[in-house]
Amino acid sequence: MDEAPAGTPRPGQSDDAVDGVIRTRALTKRYRGGQLAVDRLDLTVPKGSVFGFLGPNGSGKTTTIRMLMGLIEPTSGTAHVLGHPVPRAARTVLPHVGALIEGPALYGFLSGRDNLLRYDAADPTADPRTRTARVAAALDRVGLTAAAGKKAKAYSLGMKQRLGLAAALLRPRKLLVLDEPTNGLDPQGMREIRSLVRQLASDGTTVFVSSHLLDEIEQMCTHAAVMTHGRLVTQGPVAELAAGARGRLVVTTPDAGEAARVLKEQGVGDLVVTGDRVSGQVPKRDLAEVNAALVTAGVRVRGFGVQRASLEDAFVALTGEGFDVAG
Amino acid sequence: MSRAETAGPAAGTTGSSPAAHPLWTLGLLRSELATVFRRWRTRALLGVLAAVPVLVGVAVRIETRDGSPAGGEGPPFIAQVSNNGLFLVFTALAATLPFFLPMAVGVVAGDAIAGEASAGTLRYLLVAPAGRTRLLLTKSAAVLAFCLAATFVVAVVALGAGAVLFPVGDLTTISGTRIGFGEGLWRALLIALVVAASLIGIAALGLFVSTLTDSGIAAMATTVGLLIGMQIVDQIPQLHAVHPYLVSHYWLSFADLMREPVLWDDLVKNLELQALYAAVFGSAAWARFTTRDVTV
């Protein structure tokens, strides 16, 4: 892996020379065993987005993140982070990137504070004069100030996760890459992380967050991409992805049989009758007319509406499988 | 955190790319040295090494209580220890160089990269970004510092124990000439430096092994295993053709510094061999570490 001289400033060259904070083209990784972990990935992460990276375990998310961070070399294809090619320009790019990859990793025999001091010392572009202040600020930001002097091996999983996040926040970052950031946290901790991510995003930091928790992505992210078996299934704004999986028309009525007949006449396909509940694809025509037709036909309607599709429905529709199936 | 806020909206432009200050890059070396020497295992190794000269000194003292000279088999110089405590330095180095010292170095060197990999901290150092070449150089420097520290722990403790347990003064060289105590101390320092340099080969070998695996224990065991293997091969006369290439072959040549005049042949051969190991395994470690996929 070629290493560019650290921190060479390139005045005049903007990161936007290449569109997107992260952009990959036909990025492929085949491990030595022949296993294809990532297959021709075309990913574009817009600047300022909170980008959710979804996929079951083993779908290639972490391999992708490791390629973006210059830890592993792609078999073929290109990856740009902040406008620079990785892994070639990794040392120019990475000081601007905070990362939490596959959980935190700490020196158990060092205190939380000393762990951060060590990670900061590893960055040749980090000013040692502000080191202790920045470490204290990062500890404060994740709520670990009180436990900063404790040995890291005495930390709970949640505290380790927070310390890992603090390491990612040691310096002002343009991009944060967070791999499963809420792993091991209690619900209160999860809420705190989500609000931290929102706060960072509102400061203008682009956040790339991988998760297998769909509702988490739905709550946090503006954009999302879905991977399965090393391939990118879809990417785009979260609202569009959820809309892509169309909702279903649901009618609740004691006259289910009659309702199904009328709905079929009205052009509603894929009808399913279960007890007093009739559901089907949302027709193209005005739903008010469909409802009027039901009433005209004497169907006693208790409930009538469209059930909104969730990201999970979108995922199942796209991959044809449950979410937690290991790829 | 005011810097975070001001830098936030500027995200996406590397016009303000932070530059690496030449001196700041040494911060990693300081951190590495602190990390190595604060580790409980390092201190235990140094403690064991410190115990060797004390044990040898006490044993010689007990044996020679009745005035009889310490005789029989034993490490070089042991017979002279009761006459002059300074010889305990040479005896202790001769006793620890075949095994304890290189084993300690093998543990620290083998763990250098592989230990970080198995703890997962390697990926965070690399994304910091420490830089692979810089990290490897830092690790090498820290291992060499440990070689020096380990040797000096043995030498200094031996000097202290020797001065407490035995008389000190002028000493007789192997060649039979007398040299003053000051000159003796000077030779002791030189010998300690040569012993520390004798560990460079095993340090380079350990670092290379360390880049091959993600298990710290495996790297340590392999390095120490190679060390033992080479010493066994060194004892088999039929394999004399390979003996000059074994890292341990010229180790005990440091005794030649106690001759008058100093016999340089084997000393130089030893240093050349250590340099050869450093060059070969250092480059191999660099080639491996800068191209490997870090998947842990």
Side-chain angles (χ1 to χ4, degrees):
Chain A
M1 241 164 264
D2 246 349
E3 284 175 308
T8 35
R10 309 254 179 93
Q13 188 193 344
S14 152
D15 286 346
D16 305 300
V18 177
D19 191 37
V21 168
I22 294 173
R23 203 190 73 151
T24 72
R25 286 296 171 262
L27 190 66
T28 303
K29 179 66 188 182
R30 187 184 287 278
Y31 282 115
R32 223 178 301 164
Q35 180 208 350
L36 193 59
V38 175
D39 187 8
R40 302 190 62 75
L41 184 72
D42 292 328
L43 193 67
T44 305
V45 176
K47 193 170 120 186
S49 62
V50 178
F51 196 98
F53 196 39
L54 281 162
N57 298 328
S59 58
K61 292 183 311 242
T62 299
T63 300
T64 305
I65 288 175
R66 282 178 180 275
M67 282 194 278
L68 293 173
M69 297 295 101
L71 291 173
I72 63 183
E73 187 128 30
T75 308
S76 62
T78 60
H80 283 78
V81 176
L82 297 171
H84 296 283
V86 283
R88 193 151 53 78
R91 288 188 72 182
T92 313
V93 172
L94 291 176
H96 300 284
V97 180
L100 185 65
I101 307 161
E102 269 192 300
L106 306 167
Y107 299 88
F109 61 100
L110 295 181
S111 69
R113 184 183 293 111
D114 287 341
N115 267 281
L116 295 186
L117 288 171
R118 174 154 171 82
Y119 284 135
D120 197 64
D123 181 352
T125 66
D127 189 346
R129 289 164 298 189
T130 58
R131 183 162 293 150
T132 45
R134 284 182 293 111
V135 164
L139 284 166
D140 183 50
R141 199 146 193 192
V142 298
L144 273 183
T145 303
K150 256 169 81 170
K151 292 252 191 292
K153 66 178 166 222
Y155 279 19
S156 67
L157 182 56
M159 288 162 83
K160 286 179 181 164
Q161 192 78 1
R162 284 160 192 260
L163 196 64
L165 266 169
L169 299 174
L170 280 169
R171 303 180 65 194
R173 310 287 193 186
K174 290 174 183 169
L175 170 65
L176 274 180
V177 175
L178 305 176
D179 195 3
E180 306 275 357
T182 57
N183 244 4
L185 296 182
D186 54 15
Q188 171 63 21
M190 287 171 142
R191 268 195 297 281
E192 284 173 26
I193 297 303
R194 280 199 286 268
S195 91
L196 184 62
V197 166
R198 280 195 206 98
Q199 190 191 332
L200 289 161
S202 69
D203 291 345
T205 308
T206 307
V207 184
F208 184 79
V209 49
S210 89
S211 180
H212 65 272
L213 300 173
L214 281 152
D215 54 339
E216 183 173 289
I217 295 288
E218 250 182 326
Q219 286 178 49
M220 270 198 293
C221 297
T222 58
H223 294 68
V226 179
M227 267 192 101
T228 178
H229 300 299
R231 287 166 177 276
L232 191 66
V233 183
T234 185
Q235 62 181 324
V238 167
E240 278 178 29
L241 291 181
R246 308 218 308 276
R248 283 179 75 83
L249 176 64
V250 178
V251 178
T252 320
T253 168
D255 314 317
E258 181 67 3
R261 191 186 60 77
V262 175
L263 287 172
K264 196 171 185 182
E265 275 177 17
Q266 295 291 317
V268 178
D270 190 23
L271 281 165
V272 178
V273 181
T274 42
D276 64 348
R277 190 171 177 277
V278 183
S279 71
Q281 284 172 2
V282 180
K284 291 214 170 63
R285 60 189 305 180
D286 189 353
L287 287 176
E289 282 176 36
V290 178
N291 195 12
L294 283 169
V295 174
T296 311
V299 175
R300 294 166 292 167
V301 176
R302 282 195 191 124
F304 184 95
V306 175
Q307 216 169 53
R308 196 179 69 88
S310 69
L311 204 52
E312 183 159 4
D313 296 326
F315 182 85
V316 172
L318 284 164
T319 63
E321 62 185 270
F323 196 75
D324 288 318
V325 175
Chain B
M1 291 308 288
S2 60
R3 283 180 64 194
E5 269 93 62
T6 51
T13 51
T14 26
S16 61
S17 183
H21 193 287
L23 279 178
W24 297 359
T25 65
L26 288 175
L28 183 57
L29 178 59
R30 261 201 307 277
S31 165
E32 182 64 33
L33 289 174
T35 308
V36 167
F37 287 100
R38 276 169 74 174
R39 193 163 282 204
W40 181 86
R41 190 185 56 213
T42 311
R43 293 177 178 182
L45 287 171
L46 293 178
V48 169
L49 287 171
V52 171
V54 175
L55 282 176
V56 172
V58 169
V60 170
R61 179 70 198 252
I62 290 170
E63 204 192 335
T64 58
R65 214 170 10 188
D66 52 3
S68 67
E73 299 283 303
F77 306 113
I78 200 159
Q80 285 104 308
V81 168
S82 57
N83 299 325
N84 192 329
L86 190 54
F87 274 101
L88 190 56
V89 175
F90 312 135
T91 304
L93 287 174
T96 49
L97 183 53
F99 190 69
F100 283 113
L101 273 173
M103 187 208 66
V105 170
V107 166
V108 172
D111 193 52
I113 302 283
E116 301 269 6
S118 52
T121 46
L122 181 60
R123 62 175 182 270
Y124 287 107
L125 290 177
L126 290 180
V127 303
R132 296 190 183 213
T133 305
R134 175 170 168 251
L135 185 59
L136 190 64
L137 285 174
T138 303
K139 290 281 182 188
S140 314
V143 172
L144 292 183
F146 178 78
C147 293
L148 209 56
T151 309
F152 274 85
V153 162
V154 174
V156 169
V157 171
L159 185 62
V164 169
L165 294 170
F166 308 104
V168 291
D170 292 358
L171 57 161
T172 312
T173 64
I174 298 177
S175 314
T177 55
R178 302 270 307 165
I179 55 172
F181 183 67
E183 170 73 13
L185 273 180
W186 178 242
R187 298 267 174 120
L189 175 68
L190 215 54
I191 283 177
L193 288 173
V194 167
V195 168
S198 301
L199 299 168
I200 290 175
I202 194 77
L205 185 62
L207 265 177
F208 171 60
V209 171
S210 194
T211 61
L212 297 179
T213 169
D214 292 331
S215 158
I217 302 287
M220 290 186 244
T222 306
T223 310
V224 175
L226 283 171
L227 171 74
I228 295 171
M230 282 197 276
Q231 290 186 326
I232 290 172
V233 170
D234 207 13
Q235 301 301 315
I236 302 175
Q238 285 79 3
L239 298 174
H240 65 90
V242 299
H243 285 176
Y245 302 101
L246 298 172
V247 75
S248 57
H249 188 64
Y250 298 108
W251 270 353
L252 292 181
S253 66
F254 77 81
D256 291 344
L257 279 170
M258 283 306 288
R259 294 180 197 279
E260 192 67 42
V262 173
L263 205 61
W264 289 103
D265 289 7
D266 282 359
L267 282 165
V268 169
K269 276 187 192 153
N270 181 30
L271 295 179
E272 281 173 354
L273 187 64
Q274 302 305 326
L276 181 70
Y277 268 75
V280 170
F281 290 104
S283 336
W286 179 81
R288 163 74 180 158
F289 187 57
T290 50
T291 54
R292 75 182 269 203
D293 283 349
V294 176
T295 53
V296 287

